[in-house]
Amino acid sequence: MKYTTLPNTKIKISKICLGTMTWGNQNNQNDGFAQMDYALEHGVNFWDTAEMYAVPSSPETYGTTETIIGNWFAKTGHRDKVVLASKIAGNGDYTAHIRTNGFAPEALKEAVNNSLKRLQTDYIDLYQLHWPERDTNYFGVRDYKHNSENKWKDNFNEILYTFDGIIKSGKIRHIGISNEKAWGTMRYLEESKAHNLPRMATIQNPYSLLNRTFEGDLAEVSILENIGLLAYSPMAFGVLSGKYIKGTAADNARLKLFPRFGRYTNPQATEATKKYLKIAEDNNMSLAQMSLAFVTQQPFVTSNIIGATNVEQLKENIDSINVVLSDEILSQINEVHDAIPNPAP
């Protein structure tokens, strides 16, 4: 395994992060336990979860993933071996069963306390805002379109002030953002600097061969402001394994169960995936490992969040840490990107 540090901290984390959002829906507790055992044994010490998991969120599955992780901590006693990240859900029709007061001070405090109980721990190492409260183009929306009717009121300072109190209580150590844009990222950084408030350490956004939109303004912000990307969906919901093109996807594969994530299988994305598959095969590697290696070795990526529905997939994904793409392969990848840029943003 390769390691780095959580930006602006001394916390050592693996460059591969264990994603957990299938536990409690596609995977049961035994599956989750097996994946945690395997990941830790192979050097993965950084895990990411969220209060709304398992995905898709529902009243029945809400909090299930954190509960599974907490049960594993209780069984193994390995809490001190894991750098743990979780998130508070934002407002939305699909999270109304959790709460409807967004990131208000009482919501942040309630969410942290509930996660701590489910996780059976006294602290969370990295606590993130799952998506912005304001109307902006996240979750697969290509371009920003201003909504003059948006009722959101600027609460960047209030959020950081509330987090300051929670950090001082010892319940969380550091904070981050997710599905955020360049403007929101800079606002958080400027508020923390101007008012001596906690600083966002990371930004967790989608990044893959099929979605390189982070390479716009956010890559510059990430590098120059030292706010590291935690890349999620690096496999584009499994599309970048090649299994859908080859017709080898299992019945419980993510896109068979949840076809609403079809942006990864639109005609342009499928054409790009075929081209990436050829590059991988021509260079004697799996498309999965090429796709993950591409993400991991980007200079703005702090950790690459992998997800798997079985240990065999997990093994292949973790082993991608040993793959280093040559300049020639990167050039071939960029030729495809130039021809079919960001088909699945």
Side-chain angles (χ1 to χ4, degrees):
M1 184 48 58
K2 297 174 183 176
Y3 297 90
T4 184
T5 55
L6 203 63
N8 303 299
T9 80
K10 295 181 180 180
I11 299 175
K12 185 175 87 169
I13 58 171
S14 49
K15 289 286 289 186
I16 297 291
C17 175
L18 180 63
T20 64
M21 74 177 189
T22 62
W23 306 350
N25 193 324
Q26 286 173 265
N27 294 111
N28 59 30
Q29 178 165 284
N30 288 338
D31 296 331
F33 278 21
Q35 289 193 33
M36 287 184 275
D37 289 339
Y38 185 90
L40 193 61
E41 288 169 4
H42 290 80
V44 177
N45 75 334
F46 186 32
W47 301 354
D48 179 74
T49 190
E51 67 169 352
M52 70 173 278
Y53 292 169
V55 169
S57 184
S58 70
E60 294 74 31
T61 61
Y62 154 59
T64 305
T65 305
E66 288 187 328
T67 298
I68 290 172
I69 295 171
N71 290 341
W72 186 85
F73 285 150
K75 176 187 176 184
T76 64
H78 289 335
R79 173 65 186 94
D80 61 337
K81 297 180 179 180
V82 174
V83 179
L84 181 64
S86 193
K87 315 178 198 71
I88 177 176
N91 283 337
D93 293 342
Y94 43 92
T95 53
H97 56 277
I98 301 176
R99 71 182 63 81
T100 58
N101 55 345
F103 302 146
E106 60 273 18
L108 289 169
K109 295 171 185 176
E110 174 191 69
V112 169
N113 288 333
N114 289 344
S115 285
L116 290 173
K117 290 177 183 176
R118 289 188 292 266
L119 291 163
Q120 300 187 53
T121 185
D122 295 327
Y123 68 98
I124 297 169
D125 296 285
L126 177 67
Y127 196 71
Q128 305 153 97
L129 306 174
H130 211 151
W131 60 86
E133 287 187 286
R134 69 188 187 281
D135 288 346
T136 188
N137 53 318
Y138 56 87
F139 284 159
V141 178
R142 186 180 290 275
D143 299 316
Y144 174 74
K145 294 179 177 60
H146 186 65
N147 177 12
S148 59
E149 303 299 319
N150 187 8
K151 303 299 182 183
W152 171 80
K153 293 182 180 179
D154 188 324
N155 59 348
F156 290 99
N157 183 275
E158 180 183 71
I159 288 171
L160 293 177
Y161 183 83
T162 304
F163 272 144
D164 190 42
I166 300 173
I167 290 171
K168 288 175 178 174
S169 75
K171 294 180 178 180
I172 59 177
R173 298 177 71 188
H174 300 283
I175 54 174
I177 45 183
S178 181
N179 296 296
E180 188 52 274
K181 311 303 291 185
W183 181 79
T185 303
M186 289 304 301
R187 280 299 316 279
Y188 278 117
L189 295 176
E190 289 302 312
E191 286 291 329
S192 66
K193 185 187 302 183
H195 302 284
N196 193 30
L197 291 168
R199 189 183 195 278
M200 294 298 181
T202 55
I203 176 169
Q204 183 176 150
N205 279 28
Y207 183 69
S208 71
L209 288 175
L210 298 180
N211 178 7
R212 293 172 59 175
T213 54
F214 193 89
E215 293 178 19
D217 294 345
L218 275 169
E220 181 180 22
V221 171
S222 175
I223 292 172
L224 297 182
E225 297 292 335
N226 194 26
I227 178 167
L229 174 63
L230 306 181
Y232 80 78
S233 290
M235 293 280 290
F237 268 60
V239 167
L240 288 169
S241 69
K243 62 187 177 184
Y244 296 102
I245 289 175
K246 295 178 179 180
T248 59
D251 290 340
N252 69 337
R254 209 167 294 176
L255 288 179
K256 286 192 174 183
L257 294 176
F258 314 122
R260 65 190 177 94
F261 295 104
R263 66 179 177 274
Y264 294 116
T265 54
N266 66 56
Q268 294 82 9
T270 299
E271 181 61 24
T273 301
K274 289 178 180 178
K275 293 179 180 296
Y276 290 130
L277 178 60
K278 185 177 189 307
I279 294 172
E281 291 178 342
D282 287 349
N283 289 278
N284 300 310
M285 67 181 76
S286 72
L287 176 57
Q289 291 199 334
M290 186 184 84
S291 299
L292 291 172
F294 173 81
V295 171
T296 302
Q297 68 187 65
Q298 296 300 323
F300 45 80
V301 171
T302 291
S303 194
N304 187 358
I305 304 175
I306 61 169
T309 52
N310 59 65
V311 173
E312 282 304 308
Q313 289 178 353
L314 184 65
K315 180 182 186 301
E316 181 180 28
N317 292 350
I318 291 176
D319 286 348
S320 72
I321 196 67
N322 300 312
V323 176
V324 178
L325 303 182
S326 67
D327 289 342
E328 181 181 353
I329 294 174
L330 291 173
S331 178
Q332 294 171 17
I333 287 172
N334 285 328
E335 286 179 10
V336 178
H337 177 63
D338 290 342
I340 313 174
N342 300 317

